[in-house]
Amino acid sequence: MSQSPCALQIEGLTMQFGGLKAVSEFKLELPAGKIYGLIGPNGAGKTTVFNMLTGVYQPTLGSIQVWGQPVIGLKPFEITKKGIARTFQNIRLFKQLSVLDNVMISMDEDPSRPHHGLLPSLFRTRQAVYDEERAEVDCSELLGIFGLDHRKDDLASSLPYGDQRRLEIARAMATGAKLLLLDEPAAGMNPHETEKLMATIEKIRTQFGMTILLIEHDMKLVMGICERISVLDYGVRIAEGTPKEIQGNPRVIEAYLGKAPEQSKTPAATSINTGDLK
Amino acid sequence: MTTHPLTHPQSKTGLQSLWVWIAAVAVVWIFQFFFVGYVDPYYFSIVMYSGINATLAVSLNLVNGFTGQFSMGHAGFMSVGGYVSALTTSLVVAKYPGIMGVDAGGPGIEGAILLVGALFLGGLVASLAGFLVGLPSLRLKGDYLAIVTLGFGEIIRVIVLNLNVVGGARGMANIPALTNFGWVFSVCIFTVFTIWRIVNSAHGRRFLSVREDEIAAEAMGVNTTAVKVRAFVMGAFFAGVAGGLFAHYLRYLNPQTFDFNRSFEIVIMVVLGGMGSITGSVLAALLLTVLKEALRPLQEITRLDFRMVIYSLMLIILMLNKPNGLMGTREISDVYQSFREKLRVRFGANQGSDQKGAKK
């Protein structure tokens, strides 16, 4: 993997569905090792951006570079091998497989790991068995970081909701990608689980040098761990900056809460608005 | 390689774990050489068809059960393999009649080589057919794929029906009798071995990931199209080989043998056994093959063809009681493990307390 300081570089990214411009002229520069938030009201185009980044949609215009390599036109599985992996808004685990297998499937695809053809797998050569065990140990270790190692033999569907979300992150990490796209990682979590998740995200960033781009509605999480934030509204980036700047940005407040009538634009009203955002 | 600290107590490499399979093949050939002659031909034929059906069911399970692609054209691949290998051996034997060893009392080593070669060729052509069908049609999902593969099976049948080289509607007769008990069950064991090993490797996990969630698998870096095509090609290969065995056992092929009923039969075996259980496929293949024959006396007594009615009734009752099939996704090794676990809980717990007592 190239050691470009920039994990992700997006320029002029536009997605047009017929007459609807879901995302227009989106731009983003994400330095390695940062946690970056992408927020916006429902239907603003956040998930569309993720789908373009991972090759699910082909953007109408624009360029995307992952670790300095262009990824437009590649298939989703090829893009993953460039070092970018995602989680899903509605959990998409391999439900009827064990927790360990969920992670193993991703680790098998890590391009930096040894791969074996059909014949070595058929005859279980020493090397194939060794690499398989090695992957198993590494997967257990990875699951340990997420506190899931004691449940590695259970079916993924049997995990509690918060653990399923964390397993998705573990699975994405197992691909060997250093850039993670988390699509609403805290959706449906209670405040306690969200706090645990924030700690985990911080941990994987510091311990593994992961770069993280996340979509989230939970403002406590976004404002708490993101170093910078982009705000999308109707497919257009209306603001970019640190959490502090975003919280005070009138355009952002307007996008979320609507324009306040002229006469009621008192200090009290703004404080309620920013309070909501916090 | 130096010793590493990772060694798993269960894992065995190379030949260490191959011996079970080799022993099974050896037992098959011991039966072939010493006991087969004493078995009643009728019962013997049931045994042979069980073996061939088990091969078919296990290979279809790779596609339907493990990869989750509902294919209903397995009889088509079987017929491709059957006709290709039968044509090969017929042509060779016509040129060198000595191979059949009429004077020596049966085909010898040349016959065996010819059979293996023909089976392999049949399997290859069948897998090529699998590739050609799979590449475009695997874009479809669920019911649509089932319909396309069903259509493919019928296309093959109609093509064969109009091919004069293989007898067309008259069928292809006088296929050299090269299949015996040893070959059928060696192939069956080889099929189970291959699919078992592949399913329990990184390759197998890829198949499973496609079954579980294609979008997630693709996002994790799995080339889902390649995985699906690979499963299709492998399933078709073994179906073709089974078709070849079938052809050289029955010695007569007719396009009607490979109609969609035949495909359904194999699908039923897979579903009844449990989608994603190799053990289940083998069990269901044996059960259904035997059941169909076991119901025959009933027909003679009642003078009415109730056989298929009862057969389907039994299937319905079985599926109502066991909607995931006989085995679900469990294998014989899982059953053995849980059985041992039960034994341990029952008797091992006592042992543990005894030891504690002894220490005091």
Side-chain angles (χ1 to χ4, degrees):
Chain A
M1 207 174 293
S2 92
Q3 284 302 306
S4 156
C6 219
L8 185 63
Q9 230 171 339
I10 305 173
E11 257 163 62
L13 197 65
T14 303
M15 181 80 228
Q16 192 140 12
F17 295 110
L20 174 78
K21 234 178 202 173
V23 176
S24 73
E25 300 280 319
F26 182 70
K27 106 182 194 198
L28 179 82
E29 211 162 280
L30 179 52
K34 297 279 182 216
I35 301 179
Y36 199 102
L38 185 57
I39 64 171
N42 286 327
K46 303 175 300 281
T47 300
T48 309
V49 170
F50 266 30
N51 282 339
M52 284 189 277
L53 290 180
T54 51
V56 178
Y57 296 153
Q58 288 303 321
T60 320
L61 280 172
S63 77
I64 305 170
Q65 290 201 325
V66 175
W67 302 107
Q69 289 172 295
V71 296
I72 292 207
L74 296 181
K75 295 209 175 94
F77 76 92
E78 292 166 327
I79 292 178
T80 305
K81 296 197 182 207
K82 300 276 183 205
I84 179 170
R86 73 174 291 181
T87 65
F88 294 89
Q89 191 174 346
N90 39 351
I91 302 176
R92 279 186 175 274
L93 287 170
F94 305 125
K95 290 195 187 71
Q96 295 305 309
L97 302 182
S98 71
V99 169
L100 182 70
D101 278 345
N102 266 274
V103 184
M104 290 276 273
I105 285 166
S106 295
M107 204 168 267
D108 292 335
E109 301 299 333
D110 182 346
S112 67
R113 287 187 157 264
H115 288 88
H116 296 281
L118 280 177
L119 281 181
S121 304
L122 200 54
F123 293 103
R124 289 207 179 138
T125 57
R126 198 175 275 269
Q127 192 62 43
V129 171
Y130 175 82
D131 289 334
E132 175 91 6
E133 284 168 358
R134 174 106 229 174
E136 208 177 313
V137 170
D138 291 350
C139 282
S140 302
E141 220 167 81
L142 181 65
L143 285 171
I145 295 162
F146 291 86
L148 293 168
D149 49 338
H150 63 289
R151 300 207 60 172
K152 65 180 180 188
D153 294 324
D154 296 342
L155 288 189
S157 57
S158 73
L159 292 181
Y161 185 81
D163 283 353
Q164 291 197 14
R165 285 244 171 243
R166 285 216 304 275
L167 177 56
E168 262 211 324
I169 301 176
R171 188 180 65 173
M173 267 180 79
T175 60
K178 287 285 178 206
L179 170 58
L180 291 189
L181 308 182
L182 309 182
D183 198 347
E184 297 199 24
M189 283 188 173
N190 61 37
H192 175 69
E193 283 175 321
T194 307
E195 222 142 87
K196 224 168 124 189
L197 178 77
M198 283 167 72
T200 313
I201 294 175
E202 277 287 358
K203 193 170 160 191
I204 56 175
R205 191 261 299 263
T206 45
Q207 219 170 4
F208 298 90
M210 306 293 291
T211 311
I212 292 157
L213 174 63
L214 56 88
I215 294 177
E216 189 50 71
H217 284 300
D218 188 323
M219 289 304 151
K220 199 172 147 235
L221 184 140
V222 174
M223 299 301 166
I225 60 171
C226 292
E227 277 130 351
R228 286 189 86 78
I229 297 168
S230 266
V231 188
L232 271 182
D233 189 31
Y234 293 110
V236 181
R237 191 172 90 171
I238 56 170
E240 206 268 347
T242 61
K244 268 258 155 58
E245 290 164 13
I246 296 296
Q247 279 174 40
N249 189 317
R251 283 200 69 189
V252 177
I253 294 163
E254 191 188 311
Y256 270 91
L257 300 169
K259 207 170 193 154
E262 276 313 309
Q263 67 269 34
S264 72
K265 230 183 181 178
T266 58
T270 14
S271 83
I272 290 168
N273 291 347
T274 44
D276 257 20
L277 271 177
K278 270 174 199 163
Chain B
M1 174 167 284
T2 52
T3 51
H4 51 80
L6 294 169
T7 314
H8 210 263
Q10 284 177 333
S11 68
K12 286 176 180 145
T13 57
L15 280 171
Q16 289 163 23
S17 59
L18 265 183
W19 70 268
V20 184
W21 304 96
I22 294 168
V25 173
V27 169
V28 163
W29 284 101
I30 289 171
F31 264 93
Q32 166 65 30
F33 285 124
F34 299 106
F35 299 105
V36 161
Y38 303 103
V39 182
D40 179 275
Y42 172 62
Y43 293 120
F44 182 67
S45 73
I46 299 175
V47 171
M48 294 289 271
Y49 289 131
S50 302
I52 293 170
N53 283 339
T55 310
L56 287 166
V58 170
S59 62
L60 184 65
N61 204 345
L62 184 70
V63 182
N64 285 21
F66 290 102
T67 320
Q69 306 301 310
F70 210 84
S71 160
M72 300 226 278
H74 223 48
F77 299 123
M78 185 189 175
S79 89
V80 170
Y83 274 104
V84 167
S85 57
L87 197 63
T88 312
T89 52
S90 297
L91 291 177
V92 173
V93 168
K95 208 158 190 198
Y96 310 99
I99 288 179
M100 291 314 291
V102 183
D103 309 320
I109 192 85
E110 297 99 331
I113 293 169
L114 176 62
L115 178 72
V116 172
L119 290 180
F120 194 70
L121 188 68
L124 276 187
V125 178
S127 59
L128 182 71
F131 181 75
L132 292 179
V133 178
L135 209 54
S137 57
L138 283 170
R139 291 162 179 271
L140 303 171
K141 290 191 172 76
D143 311 350
Y144 302 100
L145 179 67
I147 290 165
V148 168
T149 49
L150 191 68
F152 154 76
E154 285 299 287
I155 289 169
I156 294 281
R157 190 178 64 80
V158 173
I159 289 175
V160 172
L161 202 59
N162 290 289
L163 273 184
N164 246 328
V165 203
V166 291
R170 275 170 290 123
M172 188 175 180
N174 291 323
I175 300 166
L178 288 167
T179 302
N180 59 29
F181 177 83
W183 287 119
V184 167
F185 283 87
S186 300
V187 167
C188 187
I189 290 166
F190 178 70
T191 308
V192 171
F193 162 76
T194 310
I195 292 178
W196 187 289
R197 278 288 176 88
I198 284 172
V199 162
N200 288 299
S201 71
H203 300 283
R205 281 194 295 272
R206 264 173 222 139
F207 292 141
L208 292 171
S209 74
V210 170
R211 178 187 77 188
E212 290 296 316
D213 193 322
E214 223 180 301
I215 292 172
E218 183 94 10
M220 292 307 120
V222 177
N223 184 350
T224 53
T225 313
V227 166
K228 285 192 280 185
V229 170
R230 183 177 287 176
F232 224 65
V233 165
M234 280 174 63
F237 177 82
F238 289 112
V241 173
L245 285 171
F246 178 79
H248 293 88
Y249 175 62
L250 193 65
R251 302 189 56 206
Y252 171 74
L253 287 183
N254 183 315
Q256 222 53 51
T257 322
F258 304 110
D259 65 355
F260 60 87
N261 280 316
R262 179 87 214 181
S263 288
F264 283 160
E265 222 169 75
I266 310 167
V267 170
I268 289 169
M269 285 169 193
V270 172
V271 175
L272 180 72
M275 308 261 279
S277 167
I278 296 169
T279 317
S281 291
V282 174
L283 276 182
L286 302 185
L287 183 74
L288 291 187
T289 316
V290 171
L291 185 66
K292 253 176 109 175
E293 293 303 321
L295 290 172
R296 236 180 245 285
L298 203 75
Q299 187 181 356
E300 279 155 28
I301 295 163
T302 58
R303 292 179 181 281
L304 288 166
D305 197 357
F306 271 140
R307 194 163 64 102
M308 292 321 280
V309 177
I310 292 171
Y311 176 81
S312 39
L313 264 179
M314 290 178 93
L315 276 179
I316 292 169
I317 292 168
L318 256 169
M319 290 317 288
L320 278 177
N321 285 309
K322 283 201 161 272
N324 289 326
L326 293 173
M327 302 289 290
T329 54
R330 285 160 26 118
E331 295 291 356
I332 192 162
S333 50
D334 303 327
V335 175
Y336 173 71
Q337 288 254 326
S338 64
F339 178 68
R340 249 181 40 171
E341 195 61 22
K342 264 184 202 152
L343 280 186
R344 207 178 57 79
V345 168
R346 236 184 164 170
F347 301 105
N350 287 338
Q351 240 171 37
S353 62
D354 282 355
Q355 275 173 356
K356 261 185 202 164
K359 264 181 195 167
K360 278 180 186 170

